[in-house]
Amino acid sequence: MLTSRQFTNPERDDTKAKNIQEGAKLLLFAIRKRLGFLPSFHVPFSEDQKLAVDELIVASQQSAITTDHIHRAFYSLVNSEIIDSPDGRYSHVIEGFLTIFARSDDAKGWKPLPEVSSMLARVEWCIRTSVVFDTHLCANDYPNGRNG
């Protein structure tokens, strides 16, 4: 039987730090792809994703990164899907990220399943946190606030 649980921060600070590191890896993956690293590994970006990640890149080059830049870039990565991917391999940046980061360190196989599932859980926590943060940012846009 499935049950619902309230979304909360991890109880341990080191768990929160590991979760945040996984989200940072996703952002860095997107930044590196936008900067042209590993061009043979095609990852599609929507126009919103390109804009948000490129703004984050420019802000970092100017040493002017804000929480807003980080949130917009991360939220765009988890909120957009490419319907018509040119090569049809990936329809989401996260798929490319998971493919790369699930590879073993020697790139000759895959990481053990428990390690991959932990990575997925950390990414999920970051996605949920980003969505919750976005609801707080947009709360004033709705008559009932965060309750829509």
Side-chain angles (χ1 to χ4, degrees), residues 48-99:
D48 288 342
Q49 291 170 333
K50 288 177 189 176
L51 180 64
V53 174
D54 290 350
E55 285 176 355
L56 181 60
I57 291 168
V58 169
S60 71
Q61 292 167 340
Q62 297 171 349
S63 297
I65 295 178
T66 65
T67 305
D68 190 49
H69 290 111
I70 295 167
H71 172 68
R72 275 188 297 174
F74 191 85
Y75 191 74
S76 75
L77 296 177
V78 302
N79 194 35
S80 301
E81 180 179 20
I82 309 300
I83 302 302
D84 297 320
S85 176
D87 64 5
R89 290 179 62 190
Y90 300 111
S91 60
H92 209 286
V93 174
I94 293 178
E95 291 173 330
F97 167 77
L98 294 174
T99 301

Side-chain angles (χ1 to χ4, degrees), residues 1 17 20 29 38 67 71 96 103-105 131 133 137 146:
M1 179 172 154
I20 292 168
F29 171 78
L38 196 61
T67 305
H71 172 68
R103 298 289 299 181
S104 61
D105 292 337
V131 170
F133 184 70
L137 291 177
R146 289 186 296 271

Side-chain angles (χ1 to χ4, degrees), residues 19-37:
N19 292 351
I20 292 168
Q21 287 173 352
E22 213 63 53
K25 286 180 191 176
L26 174 57
L27 272 177
L28 291 172
F29 171 78
I31 289 168
R32 290 177 57 87
K33 290 306 299 171
R34 290 294 301 144
L35 291 173
F37 286 82

